[in-house]
Amino acid sequence: MAATEQTTPENVRDLVTRRVAQAYSAGFVTDVESETVPPGHSEDVVRMISARKQEPEWLLEWRLKAYRRWLKMTEPKWAHVDYKPVDYQSISYFSAPKSMKDRPKSLDEVDPKLLETYKKLGIPLKEQEMLAGVVPQVAVDVVFDSVSVGTTFRKKLAEAGVIFCSISEAVHSHPDLVKKYLGSVVPFGDNYFAALNSAVFSDGSFVFIPKGVRCPMELSTYFRINERNTGQFERTLIVAEERSHVSYLEGCTAPQRDENQLHAAVVELVALDDAQIKYSTVQNWYPGDENGVGGIYNFVTKRGDCRGPRSKISWTQVETGSAITWKYPSCILRGDDSVGEFYSVALTHHRQQADTGTKMIHVGKRTRSTIVSKGIAAGHGQQSYRGLVRVLPLAEGARNHTQCDSLLIGDQCGAHTFPYTEIRNPSAILEHEATTSKIGEDQLFYCRSRGIPEEDAVSMIVNGFCKQVFKELPMEFAVEAQKLLAVSLEGAVG
Amino acid sequence: MLEINNLHARVEDKEILKGVTLSIKAGEVHAIMGPNGSGKSTLSHVLAGREGYEVTKGGATFQGQDLLAMEPEARAAAGVFLGFQYPVEIPGVTNLYFLKAALNAQRKTRGDKELDAADFLAYVKQRVKQMQMDVKMLHRGVNEDFSGGEKKRNEILQMLVLQPKLMILDETDSGLDIDALKVVSDGINAMRSKDTATLLVTHYQRLLDYVQPDFVHVLAGGRIVKSGGPDLARELEEKGYGWLAAA
């Protein structure tokens, strides 16, 4: 009829494709001289990493135990993802910009090229400190390949008694705390990727909030993979003591490259009595191109331990990047009346595949958990929600509410739901809701017939779909997440 | 205002409209009646720009512009409004946000200043009251968990907010109880003026008791087979459509 472009699944795909081609603005490479260990793993590599970081003996031993365990393990195959096997001998397990060798003492000593990289990514580290008081304050730790580049606002945090630094540094400055909590939530032999991480982890953030302290600002770590053929194996540990409170944000990007790069992180959270930890992620690793060439393999273990009564751990994630995502931020609800939450938006397009969800392990009495998962698949994207709710015999009066919704754009993508429940206490109450819908031609025409242009309409519909999750994010992050989705989907029509 | 000239349209291989000719002037209300499958909804959709229809012959102009060459959003900005027979749900997008986005998109296209949040809220609340709806509905998702009647009221609310020039109302009366029918009719009548025109697409006489049409047309087999005044609607109510389809 009209001389207009028809809205068909075919041009939906075109639009998504076109959009995504221009979408990945973080795909640049920083030209810095790096010291990268030759590819391959061995006990020597583990020893080298540990020596390079001048680690104490106990940590080296721990790494070696993990390494020996890992050698006996096999890569998990149960996830609903399909990818070329990883050649673990072709990966370099450590890379650091040369300028970081003699660790800079402050941001003033950091290589300007590195600071420039973060500025390009929208994280101006130095300016951020100078602008303090003008813009909302967020303390940032940045990790470039295998090392932490610097952490802002340290002084102000120290006044509140908050420790926020790289984990390599914490090993030296707070060895007792690290020794006490490292591996206490995710043991070194927990799973294949966690074992690998425990053996070769390079850097990451360490956060400690002492008793009764409400952290005076948001804490944030920004992870960046730059070097070719390297894996990133960061390790984050957050400990919230009794009655303390912290909100932590994590962001990630990587250059656009043709080969797949491995990212196998471990995040451990410990919440003691009445403590609250809110952990938010906006993950935008390079997703690969439209034919599925390149992109990050994001194989991550994240787990929180609600160790004390009435403690609360809340995971919020917006996952738009990576070629393959394998990730299940989980909560062990050990303390009576503790609360676990998982809010997730995952977007897959092109050949991206995501198998993500959560585990809620109810151990204590009257423990409660909430799961809200929103999966969006476009192009040939594959999207799986995998979630476990386990109620142990002593978890009298446990409750769970699970909601998982999938939105399909076009007709080549897929959405799958794998809910598991194991209930060993009859007083448990579980609710599960699931829906799958398509961005319909109906919805688009409805918006357009009211005068709203097509691209705005798609972005509006998708944002509406994700609203429940976005409202859990800190304000600036919510805006960021909405923009990221709008950018990834502009022009996507179904 | 609207000139439809020998319009032929098909869906896939099936020809639905087989030469519709109709002229609607500013200030007029036309009703199109007809049996199921006669092409009433197709006509509404083609005029509003829905995908999936192929115009094979003829055309339509709106205020002298080639209507069928325009994108749906451009038609809306020019002043064409379609009241949906089955209004669509958009979960998570509030009515307030939706209405503001729609009005401001139209204003932007027309080169008018966009309304700010406070002005818009005052403007929209007044119209919500006019439709005898609870202002809380503004914070609910667009048509999300609305009853059939609420959805139809919401269509008219959108119309009142957007202030179109040509209103095409596709079976807006279906699914309404008598009280709701009255509110909806009042909304339609409030939009009547010498500068606006309305095309009511309906099965039944009862809407026409509240919204008096100037002209009534019978669409059958993809063509207008009879036109007349309001009396024609009453005659149809008595005799049905059979005698016309045969003609």
Side-chain angles (χ1 to χ4, degrees):
Chain A
M1 48 169 296
T4 64
E5 219 178 344
Q6 291 268 315
T7 310
T8 61
E10 290 75 53
N11 66 21
V12 168
R13 277 197 299 280
D14 284 1
L15 286 164
V16 174
T17 310
R18 245 184 285 148
R19 189 56 218 170
V20 167
Q22 50 184 280
Y24 201 75
S25 60
F28 62 89
V29 180
T30 306
D31 182 20
V32 287
E33 238 188 300
S34 282
E35 196 183 2
T36 303
V37 300
H41 60 79
S42 64
E43 285 206 6
D44 287 346
V45 168
V46 176
R47 284 177 198 281
M48 192 285 292
I49 293 170
S50 187
R52 165 87 201 241
K53 295 167 160 301
Q54 299 163 358
E55 286 177 352
E57 191 58 30
W58 67 265
L59 191 49
L60 174 62
E61 281 310 312
W62 192 75
R63 285 177 181 275
L64 288 171
K65 272 193 278 183
Y67 180 68
R68 289 168 198 147
R69 176 73 66 89
W70 178 70
L71 287 176
K72 291 190 206 128
M73 297 170 95
T74 50
E75 201 173 326
K77 291 285 175 232
W78 43 262
H80 189 79
V81 291
D82 183 22
Y83 56 93
K84 275 197 317 251
V86 180
D87 177 1
Y88 292 91
Q89 285 295 4
S90 73
I91 297 169
S92 163
Y93 290 86
F94 191 85
S95 172
K98 273 197 172 149
S99 61
M100 297 300 293
K101 198 165 180 185
D102 302 307
R103 206 175 184 81
K105 305 223 165 18
S106 76
L107 287 174
D108 293 325
E109 294 174 23
V110 172
D111 185 342
K113 266 189 194 162
L114 295 179
L115 295 178
E116 191 58 30
T117 300
Y118 287 95
K119 200 168 169 181
K120 257 160 107 176
L121 294 167
I123 311 159
L125 295 170
K126 289 191 77 173
E127 287 84 344
Q128 198 223 4
E129 281 208 315
M130 285 189 281
L131 285 171
V134 181
V135 290
Q137 292 188 0
V138 180
V140 185
D141 183 22
V142 290
V143 176
F144 192 88
D145 289 335
S146 305
V147 294
S148 168
V149 172
T151 310
T152 63
F153 289 113
R154 303 178 64 144
K155 221 190 212 161
K156 179 153 187 198
L157 290 169
E159 283 165 20
V162 172
I163 303 168
F164 179 37
C165 62
S166 75
I167 197 144
S168 312
E169 194 181 333
V171 166
H172 296 286
S173 57
H174 302 90
D176 297 345
L177 286 175
V178 176
K179 197 171 177 181
K180 181 170 176 191
Y181 290 106
L182 186 74
S184 74
V185 184
V186 181
F188 64 77
D190 186 80
N191 67 69
Y192 187 79
F193 300 114
L196 177 62
N197 174 287
S198 303
V200 301
F201 78 88
S202 40
D203 219 334
S205 297
F206 175 74
V207 176
F208 179 81
I209 317 287
K211 272 180 204 167
V213 171
R214 177 173 276 265
C215 188
M217 63 182 80
E218 305 268 355
L219 303 182
S220 156
T221 300
Y222 195 89
F223 295 99
R224 172 79 178 166
I225 299 178
N226 188 62
E227 196 59 26
R228 189 179 288 275
N229 292 325
T230 52
Q232 190 169 44
F233 305 93
E234 87 264 3
R235 184 122 197 156
T236 296
L237 174 59
I238 299 179
V239 179
E241 280 200 326
E242 291 83 349
R243 302 178 314 283
S244 69
H245 194 290
V246 63
S247 170
Y248 177 92
L249 325 172
E250 173 200 82
C252 343
T253 58
Q256 212 155 326
R257 296 195 189 281
D258 289 345
E259 76 268 20
N260 297 108
Q261 283 181 287
L262 179 63
H263 172 251
V266 171
V267 175
E268 297 179 279
L269 312 182
V270 179
L272 302 184
D273 306 10
D274 300 286
Q276 293 193 17
I277 302 176
K278 185 173 175 62
Y279 192 106
S280 313
T281 303
V282 172
Q283 184 264 108
N284 187 26
W285 292 121
Y286 178 55
D289 71 5
E290 65 273 19
N291 301 314
V293 176
I296 302 292
Y297 288 170
N298 192 35
F299 300 151
V300 170
T301 305
K302 290 185 169 176
R303 195 173 302 153
D305 190 356
C306 283
R307 219 164 268 185
R310 298 166 304 279
S311 57
K312 177 176 173 183
I313 290 179
S314 179
W315 298 100
T316 305
Q317 61 173 17
V318 177
E319 304 277 318
T320 61
S322 298
I324 312 284
T325 296
W326 180 99
K327 181 180 171 187
Y328 316 89
S330 303
C331 296
I332 301 167
L333 303 169
R334 211 182 292 275
D336 290 347
D337 302 289
S338 60
V339 175
E341 294 174 338
F342 174 74
Y343 297 95
S344 170
V345 165
L347 171 75
T348 49
H349 39 213
H350 295 331
R351 306 278 168 174
Q352 275 181 282
Q353 305 169 58
D355 193 302
T356 185
T358 185
K359 288 187 276 187
M360 293 291 176
I361 314 296
H362 292 257
V363 184
K365 294 183 177 54
R366 298 171 305 278
T367 45
R368 282 168 292 147
S369 61
T370 302
I371 299 171
V372 177
S373 162
K374 303 276 182 178
I376 303 151
H380 290 83
Q382 290 293 325
Q383 186 67 241
S384 302
Y385 166 78
R386 189 181 302 276
L388 167 69
V389 178
R390 178 182 289 154
V391 178
L392 296 181
L394 293 177
E396 200 65 28
R399 297 196 64 149
N400 164 266
H401 181 87
T402 298
Q403 183 190 339
C404 59
D405 300 320
S406 310
L407 186 68
L408 304 174
I409 303 175
D411 53 8
Q412 304 288 312
C413 52
H416 318 271
T417 305
F418 304 98
Y420 305 85
T421 50
E422 293 173 22
I423 311 302
R424 285 191 264 156
N425 184 308
S427 67
I429 300 175
L430 273 72
E431 297 160 323
H432 185 97
E433 295 173 52
T435 65
T436 299
S437 52
K438 265 187 126 161
I439 282 202
E441 195 211 326
D442 281 2
Q443 284 179 324
L444 280 172
F445 177 60
Y446 193 63
C447 294
R448 296 178 74 190
S449 77
R450 298 301 181 249
I452 300 167
E454 193 167 42
E455 297 199 340
D456 296 353
V458 171
S459 157
M460 181 192 277
I461 294 164
V462 172
N463 276 310
F465 176 75
C466 299
K467 188 177 184 175
Q468 250 180 305
V469 174
F470 287 167
K471 73 177 175 32
E472 296 298 324
L473 288 171
M475 185 65 103
E476 301 90 84
F477 243 37
V479 173
E480 194 69 17
Q482 285 194 25
K483 273 195 225 149
L484 196 56
L485 277 200
V487 162
S488 314
L489 286 167
E490 207 170 284
V493 185
Chain B
M1 181 179 274
L2 177 69
E3 300 289 336
I4 305 171
N5 181 27
N6 192 30
L7 185 65
H8 288 65
R10 65 180 185 196
V11 177
E12 285 160 9
D13 287 338
K14 198 175 173 211
E15 186 155 56
I16 311 244
L17 300 181
K18 300 172 184 169
V20 174
T21 298
L22 180 64
S23 173
I24 300 180
K25 295 189 181 59
E28 294 177 349
V29 173
H30 290 241
I32 289 195
M33 304 182 76
N36 284 329
S38 59
K40 300 192 301 292
S41 283
T42 299
L43 179 63
S44 313
H45 286 155
V46 169
L47 293 175
R50 185 168 201 136
E51 316 283 351
Y53 299 93
E54 190 190 349
V55 172
T56 51
K57 212 184 202 183
T61 61
F62 174 68
Q63 296 185 316
Q65 280 182 282
D66 181 357
L67 184 65
L68 304 187
M70 295 159 79
E71 297 281 354
E73 52 267 42
R75 299 181 200 200
V80 178
F81 178 89
L82 172 65
F84 281 58
Q85 183 181 1
Y86 303 109
V88 179
E89 296 190 15
I90 310 177
V93 176
T94 64
N95 285 292
L96 185 66
Y97 184 87
F98 182 77
L99 286 166
K100 184 161 172 260
L103 182 65
N104 279 337
Q106 291 197 15
R107 291 180 71 98
K108 198 172 158 192
T109 307
R110 292 195 291 258
D112 297 336
K113 201 168 151 276
E114 295 176 36
L115 292 185
D116 70 25
D119 289 348
F120 179 75
L121 191 63
Y123 172 84
V124 77
K125 272 189 176 165
Q126 206 185 340
R127 279 150 186 85
V128 171
K129 285 194 191 117
Q130 193 179 341
M131 288 310 294
Q132 300 183 20
M133 297 171 89
D134 186 339
V135 289
K136 282 190 199 125
M137 68 76 68
L138 288 171
H139 301 287
R140 290 168 62 190
V142 177
N143 294 318
E144 198 179 354
D145 305 320
F146 279 29
S147 70
E150 281 181 307
K151 285 182 180 172
K152 294 299 176 75
R153 275 188 205 221
N154 197 19
E155 292 296 288
I156 302 303
L157 170 68
Q158 291 176 14
M159 182 177 85
L160 292 175
V161 168
L162 298 172
Q163 293 284 310
K165 297 195 184 92
L166 172 67
M167 291 147 278
I168 303 163
L169 302 175
D170 190 4
E171 307 218 6
T172 296
D173 51 335
S174 64
L176 293 180
D177 62 32
I178 198 75
D179 294 329
L181 181 64
K182 180 123 197 348
V183 176
V184 161
S185 303
D186 288 347
I188 299 170
N189 285 326
M191 285 295 296
R192 278 180 97 152
S193 80
K194 63 179 180 24
D195 301 318
T196 60
T198 307
L199 181 60
L200 300 169
V201 175
T202 181
H203 267 296
Y204 305 108
Q205 161 67 25
R206 64 175 200 157
L207 174 67
L208 306 183
D209 291 337
Y210 295 95
V211 184
Q212 294 282 330
D214 301 302
F215 302 94
V216 175
H217 311 276
V218 179
L219 189 67
R223 263 190 293 263
I224 290 178
V225 294
K226 193 166 177 63
S227 296
D231 292 345
L232 177 58
R234 279 187 280 276
E235 199 179 341
L236 290 168
E237 188 82 351
E238 274 170 39
K239 297 198 204 164
Y241 296 108
W243 60 287
L244 286 169

